[in-house]
Amino acid sequence: MAGIALDGKVPAGALGEKWSRHRFDVTLVNPANKRHYSVIVVGSGLAGASAAASLAELGYEVSCFCIQDSPRRAHSIAAQGGINAAKNYPNDGDSVYRLFYDTIKGGDYRSREANVYRLAEVSNAIIDQCVAQGVPFAREYSGLLANRSFGGAQVSRTFYARGQTGQQLLLGAYSALSRQIGLGAVTMHPRHEMLELVVIDGVARGIVTRDLVTGRLHSHAADAVVLATGGYGNLYYLSTNAMASNVTATWRAHKRGALFANPCFVQIHPTCIPVSGAHQSKLTLMSESLRNDGRVWVPRTQGDTRAPAGIPEAERNYYLEERYPAFGNLVPRDVASRAAKEVCDRGYGVGATGQAVYLDLRDAIDRVGRTAVEQKYGNLFQMYEQITGEDAYQTPMRIYPAVHYTMGGLWVDYNLMSTVPGLFVLGEANFSDHGANRLGASALMQGLADGYFVLPATIGSYLAEGARAPAGTDHAAFRAAEQDAEQRSRRLLEVSGNQPVDHFHRELGRIMWDRCGMSRNADGLREAAARIPELRERFWREVNVPGSGGDLNQPLERAGRVADFLEFAEVVIQDALARNESCGSHFREEHQSEDNEALRNDADYAYVAAWEHRGVGEPAVLHREPLEFEEVHPTVRSYK
Amino acid sequence: MRWLLDLLSTSIGKKVLMALTGLFLVLFLAVHLYGNLYLYAGEEAFNHHAESISGNALIRIVEVVLFLSIIAHAVSGVQLTIRNRRARPQRYRVKRRAGFSTLASRSMIVSGSVVFIFIVIHLRNFFYEARFGRAAAGESLYRVVSETFALPGYAALYVIAMVLLGVHLAHGFLSALRTLGIEHQRYTPVLRGVGLLLAVGFAAAFASMPIVFFVRSLA
Amino acid sequence: MTLHLEIWRQPGPEAGGGFVSYEMDDAVPDMSFLELLDVLNERLERAGEEPVAFEHDCREGICGSCGFLINGRAHGPLRGVTACQLHLRHFEDGERIVLEPWRARAFPVVKDLVVDRSAFDRVIQAGGFVSVNTGSAPEANALPVPRADSDRAMDAAACIGCGACVASCKNAAAMLFAGAKVTQLALLPQGAPERRRRAAAMVEAMDAAGFGNCTNERECEGDCPKDITFANIARLNREYLAAKLTR
């Protein structure tokens, strides 16, 4: 694959016409023939469930797999804030073009124009679809849909269902999927983990899964494989991701030939509940909608241990408002996160660990009253109290950034197909439309755009045109893949060391957070690059995975995922080292202005970095997809 | 009729049957109580009332519906209880109350069974005697009643059964309405009050008779 | 703080189970209940023993994965809280805590505290949806929905499908779960065309799965981590009855 030329397959024509033209140009599959094509969908979150349901509605024979006990539990369910669309209901100047422009700019000009435009274009249809499914979006007294401004947008384009938008959208997609399962059009395999992608003659032909209850390995063949397996934020051990979120499916696909794009673009969310102790298993996000009404501050004196209420106004540093007067507390996530880290690193942090800043809703409560604040954010205050035992109506919340979303993922072309023909990648699992930073309320939009509207339109072309050699699961490649998966499990069980899996995961997370977190530098990255193989080696020598491979074995599941993280971490570091610029979530300390703002380098780095696997421990090979900006001209992203 | 059988085979269908028959039995209790109160009006008034209703054709028809209701209520109650027990084959070692269940709600099958047994004995002692036995042979029904109530065993059984009837109604009335889908945040509290009033009222009024007659028999 | 745990251990669906005691002297009040189990499991793994299997994922109270009986209460003693959001500061130092899996015929034990809740999925598959294909939706604002209805639909839609209602109910009934979905879709005009068919189909699926039936005791509401109200069950009854009487 040395001389690989990455073809994004972006259709010709004006930006606004590309998608509609492309939809006309793609080869259609005759309705009567669709049932002869089988598609495997791995993952049942927003992207996976919506894709599986939509493909089944079209008539394809669909199998869907998820690791949870029910497709309804995919991590999309935890998204709180909302979903963007360019409906312009509030008449505040929004449009498809503005949503496109904001997303490109928010992503710090590291995403493909045509993809982002398409995303903005289909955003409205998503809202229509979800409302028709019975998603109870917030409404005005008129009975019409309500909108709010969210996460750095200057228009109100975010649709929401209290603080549970992800849940409601997922339950909508799940209901559509359930309907197809009930009709027999989708075969659902819950509690199945994909362990291998089966590639025959360079084409994706199926997968090998482990039944997590019986431990049995199964081969599944299909005409196309769709991965919608989410992001890899748990590489950092502590993140806002669900405990089972992992990189395994995409990593195994990567090892079978799919290029991995921009792995170092990891979003660190500014408003999470800070770490409280060593036992901490995950971090909880407080919806950033709180930043609409909350003010972020730290004391002006270092190490000020006074109770927040006792600190007079003059001694409070509302650092976001001071530094970014135009956007204030609503600057994009990467900017807000970095600013928090900076004030804490300089010793202004609050709370027992000094790794937190205040998010204060006092002024909002004074302005609109407690009841109004309660109506808007009641569940968040409740959640905060459950976790910290503190009443945020009385004392400001303490927040700190945490790993939240990964913009990087498997490289895909405009059709969402990876570099392995027949392997499609959707949602957070692909390298996505978010460039180097994702705007709030855009992840749900992208997941559903991919699943409901993009893939169903593009997959037909591949199926109709693809040369189909009917490969059954009796093909030798399936046997080989099963053996690989089997051996891997056996090896993990046979190490019989004396350290639990989490021990290594925690250590890996620490390295990644310290060296490849909110800010990175070459020395730190090189140090991480040296420590990761050593840690991996120790893992394979000292890990203890009790039990057998023949039943429900949660340590074995975790061990497999951590083993993959330990391999994957290296390409993340490699990507971060190779990108000698600061852009979006990727802040290289060597590349900053005098007032500590990120310095992007469009001359040398306006490309997608797509990495090719050459073996564990071997350096990956970089392939570049240049990013051409025909419509938007990259400017310095300023929120001042 | 297929739909009806269909309905009665499902869990909610059986519950609806229980609710309807239950409410019908509550209505019957009211009529029955009205009749019984003639006991306090003296022998002549009571016997006159008793004769007037036993000669009424409409009452005869309603009686049949009544018997069928009692049987349907009991049978579906037992069926549902069995189904519910089967739904949890293994019990918890520790189980604590979480919400709003009461002793009454948890013991419906017990209170219902006792009341059912009582009804059988009661029918033998009064209904049978009135229609086919001593009263049908010309004896005063009032005398039959007062003699029966003078038996300490029967009077005690009657009082206990009436207390359990009250307990049964304390949950049963509102539960029946809910099963029929009647639930409203404004009216449900009122209906709960009505249910409790009926429970206490019926239990006290019916139980007063064996007590009064038993005490009188001592004098 | 020190806690004495008594946990139901069961190696597999067919195997018998029993309670095993564990002394936890390294508990911290700021820990969540699941983090306490993490600490226990790490200890067991270090010793080469099989850790306690329990279901969990998001750990922020929304995925519905976690849940078991904690001292006889589904998700523990606090109202409106899932096990993952329950922190040890609500327990006394030295307390004895019994952990049991959800017990219901429709929720067979898979291992230790993990049960199979796929019966819930089957209930939804029977009718818990609006039959709208992708792409055929009308403009979202074409159909106004009174805000009060929308809010009440959202109240019902907040169900996370954890199964606490079934676990808590003395009859192991799934009426609160099914009632919440039926209510959500019955209150919205989008769900109206199918409301009769939906109610009938979901009740039949519920019966087929082996759940018990509701005796209107409202225990489910008390243990529901999302405060789904009991009124949803009356609505399910109403919808079902209307379906059966009119179809």
Side-chain angles (χ1 to χ4, degrees), chain A residues 238 271-277 280 282-284 286 350-351 353-357 384 387-388 397-402:
Chain A
L238 286 181
T271 56
C272 300
I273 299 177
V275 176
S276 72
Q280 193 108 8
K282 81 152 272 163
L283 295 170
T284 303
M286 302 295 294
V350 300
T353 58
Q355 296 288 302
V357 299
Y384 185 80
I387 293 171
T388 63
M397 295 180 182
R398 281 172 294 110
I399 56 163
Y400 198 67

mmCIF file of all heavy atoms in Angstrom, chain A residues 238 271-277 280 282-284 286 350-351 353-357 384 387-388 397-402:
data_model
loop_
_atom_site.group_PDB
_atom_site.id
_atom_site.type_symbol
_atom_site.label_atom_id
_atom_site.label_comp_id
_atom_site.label_asym_id
_atom_site.label_seq_id
_atom_site.Cartn_x
_atom_site.Cartn_y
_atom_site.Cartn_z
ATOM 1 N N LEU A 238 -9.437 7.529 32.218
ATOM 2 C CA LEU A 238 -10.533 8.364 32.710
ATOM 3 C C LEU A 238 -11.057 9.204 31.558
ATOM 4 O O LEU A 238 -10.301 9.930 30.913
ATOM 5 C CB LEU A 238 -10.061 9.282 33.829
ATOM 6 C CG LEU A 238 -9.810 8.611 35.178
ATOM 7 C CD1 LEU A 238 -9.383 9.651 36.193
ATOM 8 C CD2 LEU A 238 -11.041 7.858 35.660
ATOM 9 N N THR A 271 -16.270 20.997 30.745
ATOM 10 C CA THR A 271 -17.116 21.015 31.946
ATOM 11 C C THR A 271 -17.429 19.618 32.468
ATOM 12 O O THR A 271 -18.512 19.094 32.255
ATOM 13 C CB THR A 271 -18.435 21.782 31.711
ATOM 14 O OG1 THR A 271 -19.101 21.202 30.585
ATOM 15 C CG2 THR A 271 -18.185 23.234 31.409
ATOM 16 N N CYS A 272 -16.458 19.040 33.162
ATOM 17 C CA CYS A 272 -16.688 17.746 33.791
ATOM 18 C C CYS A 272 -16.489 17.869 35.292
ATOM 19 O O CYS A 272 -15.849 18.804 35.764
ATOM 20 C CB CYS A 272 -15.725 16.712 33.239
ATOM 21 S SG CYS A 272 -15.932 16.537 31.479
ATOM 22 N N ILE A 273 -17.030 16.928 36.010
ATOM 23 C CA ILE A 273 -16.848 16.933 37.461
ATOM 24 C C ILE A 273 -15.425 16.445 37.746
ATOM 25 O O ILE A 273 -15.016 15.415 37.206
ATOM 26 C CB ILE A 273 -17.910 16.045 38.129
ATOM 27 C CG1 ILE A 273 -19.303 16.609 37.801
ATOM 28 C CG2 ILE A 273 -17.687 15.982 39.636
ATOM 29 C CD1 ILE A 273 -20.443 15.797 38.336
ATOM 30 N N PRO A 274 -14.663 17.181 38.545
ATOM 31 C CA PRO A 274 -13.251 16.835 38.723
ATOM 32 C C PRO A 274 -13.048 15.481 39.392
ATOM 33 O O PRO A 274 -13.946 14.955 40.049
ATOM 34 C CB PRO A 274 -12.708 17.953 39.637
ATOM 35 C CG PRO A 274 -13.742 19.011 39.663
ATOM 36 C CD PRO A 274 -15.044 18.381 39.309
ATOM 37 N N VAL A 275 -11.851 14.965 39.225
ATOM 38 C CA VAL A 275 -11.470 13.695 39.845
ATOM 39 C C VAL A 275 -11.484 13.856 41.359
ATOM 40 O O VAL A 275 -11.046 14.875 41.881
ATOM 41 C CB VAL A 275 -10.048 13.312 39.395
ATOM 42 C CG1 VAL A 275 -9.579 12.049 40.106
ATOM 43 C CG2 VAL A 275 -9.997 13.115 37.887
ATOM 44 N N SER A 276 -12.026 12.866 42.072
ATOM 45 C CA SER A 276 -12.067 13.003 43.527
ATOM 46 C C SER A 276 -11.116 12.051 44.236
ATOM 47 O O SER A 276 -10.750 12.274 45.369
ATOM 48 C CB SER A 276 -13.492 12.803 44.049
ATOM 49 O OG SER A 276 -13.853 11.451 43.951
ATOM 50 N N GLY A 277 -10.692 10.994 43.576
ATOM 51 C CA GLY A 277 -9.788 10.079 44.271
ATOM 52 C C GLY A 277 -9.267 8.988 43.360
ATOM 53 O O GLY A 277 -9.640 8.905 42.191
ATOM 54 N N GLN A 280 -11.465 6.476 41.313
ATOM 55 C CA GLN A 280 -12.327 6.990 40.242
ATOM 56 C C GLN A 280 -12.295 6.106 38.998
ATOM 57 O O GLN A 280 -11.237 5.772 38.484
ATOM 58 C CB GLN A 280 -11.855 8.385 39.856
ATOM 59 C CG GLN A 280 -12.819 9.125 39.002
ATOM 60 C CD GLN A 280 -13.495 10.244 39.769
ATOM 61 O OE1 GLN A 280 -13.118 10.536 40.902
ATOM 62 N NE2 GLN A 280 -14.481 10.853 39.169
ATOM 63 N N LYS A 282 -14.522 6.734 36.220
ATOM 64 C CA LYS A 282 -14.864 7.493 35.019
ATOM 65 C C LYS A 282 -15.186 8.922 35.419
ATOM 66 O O LYS A 282 -15.344 9.223 36.597
ATOM 67 C CB LYS A 282 -16.025 6.865 34.275
ATOM 68 C CG LYS A 282 -17.368 7.204 34.842
ATOM 69 C CD LYS A 282 -18.426 7.152 33.755
ATOM 70 C CE LYS A 282 -18.562 8.462 33.030
ATOM 71 N NZ LYS A 282 -19.250 8.384 31.775
ATOM 72 N N LEU A 283 -15.253 9.792 34.439
ATOM 73 C CA LEU A 283 -15.557 11.181 34.724
ATOM 74 C C LEU A 283 -16.927 11.502 34.164
ATOM 75 O O LEU A 283 -17.342 10.973 33.137
ATOM 76 C CB LEU A 283 -14.494 12.078 34.100
ATOM 77 C CG LEU A 283 -13.119 11.864 34.745
ATOM 78 C CD1 LEU A 283 -12.041 12.574 33.965
ATOM 79 C CD2 LEU A 283 -13.122 12.335 36.193
ATOM 80 N N THR A 284 -17.618 12.358 34.892
ATOM 81 C CA THR A 284 -18.973 12.686 34.469
ATOM 82 C C THR A 284 -19.014 14.085 33.899
ATOM 83 O O THR A 284 -18.494 15.025 34.485
ATOM 84 C CB THR A 284 -19.938 12.542 35.649
ATOM 85 O OG1 THR A 284 -19.826 11.212 36.143
ATOM 86 C CG2 THR A 284 -21.366 12.798 35.210
ATOM 87 N N MET A 286 -20.749 17.495 32.796
ATOM 88 C CA MET A 286 -21.883 18.362 33.069
ATOM 89 C C MET A 286 -22.145 19.086 31.758
ATOM 90 O O MET A 286 -21.245 19.752 31.246
ATOM 91 C CB MET A 286 -21.522 19.392 34.139
ATOM 92 C CG MET A 286 -21.080 18.774 35.444
ATOM 93 S SD MET A 286 -22.395 17.859 36.223
ATOM 94 C CE MET A 286 -23.502 19.189 36.606
ATOM 95 N N VAL A 350 -8.862 25.331 42.154
ATOM 96 C CA VAL A 350 -9.589 25.263 43.414
ATOM 97 C C VAL A 350 -9.903 23.814 43.778
ATOM 98 O O VAL A 350 -9.630 22.899 43.001
ATOM 99 C CB VAL A 350 -10.902 26.088 43.343
ATOM 100 C CG1 VAL A 350 -10.583 27.542 43.057
ATOM 101 C CG2 VAL A 350 -11.842 25.520 42.290
ATOM 102 N N GLY A 351 -10.462 23.627 44.952
ATOM 103 C CA GLY A 351 -10.820 22.286 45.407
ATOM 104 C C GLY A 351 -9.613 21.578 46.005
ATOM 105 O O GLY A 351 -8.493 22.109 45.993
ATOM 106 N N THR A 353 -7.799 19.116 45.113
ATOM 107 C CA THR A 353 -6.668 18.751 44.268
ATOM 108 C C THR A 353 -6.062 19.951 43.553
ATOM 109 O O THR A 353 -4.994 19.835 42.966
ATOM 110 C CB THR A 353 -7.123 17.758 43.179
ATOM 111 O OG1 THR A 353 -8.181 18.400 42.429
ATOM 112 C CG2 THR A 353 -7.652 16.482 43.775
ATOM 113 N N GLY A 354 -6.742 21.073 43.580
ATOM 114 C CA GLY A 354 -6.258 22.227 42.821
ATOM 115 C C GLY A 354 -6.443 22.034 41.323
ATOM 116 O O GLY A 354 -6.015 22.864 40.519
ATOM 117 N N GLN A 355 -7.098 20.964 40.954
ATOM 118 C CA GLN A 355 -7.340 20.697 39.540
ATOM 119 C C GLN A 355 -8.821 20.941 39.231
ATOM 120 O O GLN A 355 -9.541 20.024 38.844
ATOM 121 C CB GLN A 355 -6.960 19.259 39.189
ATOM 122 C CG GLN A 355 -5.485 18.958 39.366
ATOM 123 C CD GLN A 355 -4.629 19.618 38.291
ATOM 124 O OE1 GLN A 355 -4.821 19.389 37.102
ATOM 125 N NE2 GLN A 355 -3.691 20.472 38.692
ATOM 126 N N ALA A 356 -9.256 22.165 39.431
ATOM 127 C CA ALA A 356 -10.648 22.497 39.145
ATOM 128 C C ALA A 356 -10.819 24.012 39.094
ATOM 129 O O ALA A 356 -10.016 24.751 39.671
ATOM 130 C CB ALA A 356 -11.561 21.917 40.235
ATOM 131 N N VAL A 357 -11.844 24.445 38.383
ATOM 132 C CA VAL A 357 -12.217 25.862 38.365
ATOM 133 C C VAL A 357 -13.704 25.941 38.723
ATOM 134 O O VAL A 357 -14.406 24.925 38.696
ATOM 135 C CB VAL A 357 -11.969 26.504 36.980
ATOM 136 C CG1 VAL A 357 -10.499 26.426 36.606
ATOM 137 C CG2 VAL A 357 -12.815 25.848 35.898
ATOM 138 N N TYR A 384 -24.968 16.585 39.933
ATOM 139 C CA TYR A 384 -23.776 17.129 40.586
ATOM 140 C C TYR A 384 -23.824 16.821 42.074
ATOM 141 O O TYR A 384 -22.826 16.420 42.674
ATOM 142 C CB TYR A 384 -23.685 18.639 40.348
ATOM 143 C CG TYR A 384 -22.418 19.255 40.894
ATOM 144 C CD1 TYR A 384 -21.225 19.164 40.174
ATOM 145 C CD2 TYR A 384 -22.404 19.912 42.117
ATOM 146 C CE1 TYR A 384 -20.060 19.707 40.668
ATOM 147 C CE2 TYR A 384 -21.236 20.464 42.624
ATOM 148 C CZ TYR A 384 -20.062 20.367 41.894
ATOM 149 O OH TYR A 384 -18.904 20.904 42.385
ATOM 150 N N ILE A 387 -23.075 13.151 42.920
ATOM 151 C CA ILE A 387 -21.679 12.738 42.797
ATOM 152 C C ILE A 387 -20.792 13.415 43.835
ATOM 153 O O ILE A 387 -19.938 12.781 44.447
ATOM 154 C CB ILE A 387 -21.182 13.002 41.362
ATOM 155 C CG1 ILE A 387 -21.924 12.062 40.413
ATOM 156 C CG2 ILE A 387 -19.675 12.807 41.256
ATOM 157 C CD1 ILE A 387 -21.701 12.348 38.967
ATOM 158 N N THR A 388 -21.014 14.714 44.043
ATOM 159 C CA THR A 388 -20.091 15.436 44.918
ATOM 160 C C THR A 388 -20.634 15.641 46.325
ATOM 161 O O THR A 388 -19.884 15.972 47.229
ATOM 162 C CB THR A 388 -19.804 16.836 44.354
ATOM 163 O OG1 THR A 388 -21.046 17.573 44.331
ATOM 164 C CG2 THR A 388 -19.254 16.767 42.946
ATOM 165 N N MET A 397 -20.320 25.160 41.172
ATOM 166 C CA MET A 397 -19.813 23.838 40.814
ATOM 167 C C MET A 397 -18.315 23.938 40.593
ATOM 168 O O MET A 397 -17.818 24.975 40.169
ATOM 169 C CB MET A 397 -20.438 23.375 39.499
ATOM 170 C CG MET A 397 -21.914 23.154 39.577
ATOM 171 S SD MET A 397 -22.526 22.613 37.963
ATOM 172 C CE MET A 397 -24.269 22.486 38.349
ATOM 173 N N ARG A 398 -17.623 22.835 40.855
ATOM 174 C CA ARG A 398 -16.221 22.748 40.458
ATOM 175 C C ARG A 398 -16.151 21.895 39.204
ATOM 176 O O ARG A 398 -16.777 20.824 39.150
ATOM 177 C CB ARG A 398 -15.388 22.123 41.585
ATOM 178 C CG ARG A 398 -15.055 23.111 42.704
ATOM 179 C CD ARG A 398 -14.406 22.435 43.877
ATOM 180 N NE ARG A 398 -15.331 21.523 44.538
ATOM 181 C CZ ARG A 398 -15.208 20.196 44.510
ATOM 182 N NH1 ARG A 398 -14.200 19.635 43.907
ATOM 183 N NH2 ARG A 398 -16.110 19.438 45.114
ATOM 184 N N ILE A 399 -15.441 22.384 38.212
ATOM 185 C CA ILE A 399 -15.338 21.622 36.967
ATOM 186 C C ILE A 399 -13.889 21.518 36.535
ATOM 187 O O ILE A 399 -13.044 22.312 36.945
ATOM 188 C CB ILE A 399 -16.158 22.265 35.825
ATOM 189 C CG1 ILE A 399 -15.714 23.720 35.613
ATOM 190 C CG2 ILE A 399 -17.636 22.169 36.101
ATOM 191 C CD1 ILE A 399 -16.150 24.297 34.286
ATOM 192 N N TYR A 400 -13.623 20.533 35.711
ATOM 193 C CA TYR A 400 -12.300 20.396 35.115
ATOM 194 C C TYR A 400 -12.458 19.654 33.794
ATOM 195 O O TYR A 400 -13.391 18.864 33.632
ATOM 196 C CB TYR A 400 -11.336 19.649 36.050
ATOM 197 C CG TYR A 400 -9.889 19.878 35.661
ATOM 198 C CD1 TYR A 400 -9.313 21.150 35.782
ATOM 199 C CD2 TYR A 400 -9.113 18.845 35.137
ATOM 200 C CE1 TYR A 400 -8.002 21.380 35.406
ATOM 201 C CE2 TYR A 400 -7.794 19.073 34.762
ATOM 202 C CZ TYR A 400 -7.241 20.343 34.895
ATOM 203 O OH TYR A 400 -5.953 20.572 34.502
ATOM 204 N N PRO A 401 -11.575 19.905 32.838
ATOM 205 C CA PRO A 401 -11.710 19.229 31.541
ATOM 206 C C PRO A 401 -11.483 17.720 31.644
ATOM 207 O O PRO A 401 -10.746 17.259 32.509
ATOM 208 C CB PRO A 401 -10.617 19.872 30.684
ATOM 209 C CG PRO A 401 -10.294 21.164 31.363
ATOM 210 C CD PRO A 401 -10.500 20.918 32.824
ATOM 211 N N ALA A 402 -12.103 16.993 30.749
ATOM 212 C CA ALA A 402 -11.889 15.546 30.667
ATOM 213 C C ALA A 402 -12.056 15.097 29.220
ATOM 214 O O ALA A 402 -12.776 15.723 28.436
ATOM 215 C CB ALA A 402 -12.899 14.814 31.544
#
